[in-house]
Amino acid sequence: MSASNQERLSDLIRFYSILEKLSKKTKGPRHLSACSGRMDWPGRGVYFFQEHGEERRDSGSGLRVVRVGTHALKAGSKTTLWKRLSQHKGPVKSGGGNHRGSIFRLIVGTALMERERLVYPTWGKGSSAPREIRQGEHSLEKRVSEVIGDMPFLWLKIDDESGPDTLRGYIERNVIALLSNHNKPAIDSPSGKWLGHLCNREKVRSSGLWNQNHVDEDYDPVFLKVFERLVSEMDER
């Protein structure tokens, strides 16, 4: 293992130790399938999804993080943390969702189609679609809701203003860059059964994450100090 990869492994071990502190602050992870807007959510934050069956192999024990995200990275955006999470969850009443409003849903859907030999030719086409097309996609939307809803996740409160230069964006892109195996010796590589292997997005497959942005970037190790401070300052839920 190269020195740089040894440093990355050390940083991953530190990242997960901080995440464990965050888990204690939030009293453990939640599952989207059991969440609602009536629960106690900060206005803004960063979320970290894990996935059952996806164990850490090198940095310790426990589930590895498979997706990192935030929201309100455009100036003036009023999107809250729960609103973004609810877009990934989909509406409870129908059990479906809108993959055109959630890239997480879209890419999970492509992997499900490949694994289950499903054909939805309109999936991912356009930023909106008429009712008849959405009705035709409903069964796949329901499957996506089941998969995402079963993933445990943690969230970190960072209630800064919306915009591209937020602390939320800083934490999001650095965590993704640290976790990503894209064009690097793999650390905590995905299991052979990971659904993401079947995604149609090359960067998902190569990074081992349900992310595309920032997977090919370098991370700044200093971000871990900021991350740890933000976790220590967060009130227990």
Side-chain angles (χ1 to χ4, degrees):
M1 186 179 289
S2 67
S4 61
N5 220 41
Q6 286 283 11
E7 291 169 0
R8 182 173 161 239
L9 176 58
S10 296
D11 288 337
L12 279 166
I13 292 170
R14 185 177 174 193
F15 166 74
Y16 279 109
S17 73
I18 300 170
L19 204 67
E20 181 61 28
K21 294 176 183 175
L22 177 62
S23 181
K24 291 177 180 175
K25 287 280 182 103
T26 61
K27 295 183 170 55
R30 292 176 177 173
H31 292 78
L32 269 183
S33 58
C35 291
S36 76
R38 295 187 296 276
M39 300 171 77
D40 182 21
W41 301 103
R44 295 195 175 106
V46 180
Y47 56 79
F48 310 89
F49 276 87
Q50 297 169 305
E51 195 167 348
H52 296 296
E54 291 304 308
E55 301 287 338
R56 294 158 60 195
R57 297 164 179 255
D58 308 298
S59 66
S61 60
L63 299 179
R64 67 184 185 91
V65 171
V66 297
R67 179 177 171 81
V68 182
T70 187
H71 58 101
L73 293 180
K74 293 182 179 178
S77 172
K78 302 296 184 186
T79 304
T80 63
L81 174 62
W82 170 247
K83 183 173 182 179
R84 187 58 180 149
L85 288 170
S86 66
Q87 290 171 331
H88 297 327
K89 172 185 168 75
V92 174
K93 188 174 182 179
S94 70
N98 176 19
H99 70 279
R100 292 179 178 84
S102 162
I103 183 65
F104 191 12
R105 294 187 64 89
L106 189 156
I107 57 180
V108 168
T110 70
L112 283 171
M113 281 192 285
E114 179 67 19
R115 186 179 71 180
E116 300 175 11
R117 300 182 183 280
L118 305 173
V119 178
Y120 289 85
T122 59
W123 190 262
K125 301 290 175 59
S127 58
S128 62
R131 172 179 286 193
E132 58 271 22
I133 288 180
R134 289 185 278 114
Q135 287 177 333
E137 298 166 340
H138 182 66
S139 57
L140 181 55
E141 294 279 15
K142 288 184 69 174
R143 289 286 296 115
V144 171
S145 294
E146 291 168 1
V147 171
I148 293 178
D150 192 44
M151 295 181 184
F153 72 96
L154 297 168
W155 67 100
L156 172 64
K157 174 184 176 180
I158 309 179
D159 248 338
D160 54 1
E161 294 297 319
S162 59
D165 299 320
T166 64
L167 259 182
R168 285 172 293 103
Y170 173 75
I171 294 297
E172 178 199 40
R173 66 176 177 268
N174 276 286
V175 173
I176 292 172
L178 170 61
L179 293 169
S180 171
N181 285 327
H182 179 79
N183 284 342
K184 302 173 201 166
I187 300 178
D188 291 337
S189 55
S191 72
K193 294 183 178 179
W194 185 50
L195 180 61
H197 290 307
L198 301 176
C199 181
N200 69 352
R201 308 298 171 98
E202 190 273 337
K203 286 185 177 179
V204 170
R205 300 192 302 271
S206 63
S207 68
L209 301 171
W210 293 109
N211 285 99
Q212 294 191 99
N213 294 334
H214 312 303
V215 299
D216 51 359
E217 298 175 8
D218 295 325
Y219 70 94
D220 177 5
V222 173
F223 96 88
L224 287 165
K225 291 183 180 178
V226 180
F227 183 43
E228 188 162 32
R229 175 178 60 79
L230 290 167
V231 170
S232 68
E233 292 174 352
M234 185 170 155
D235 296 333
E236 293 192 12
R237 313 306 290 181

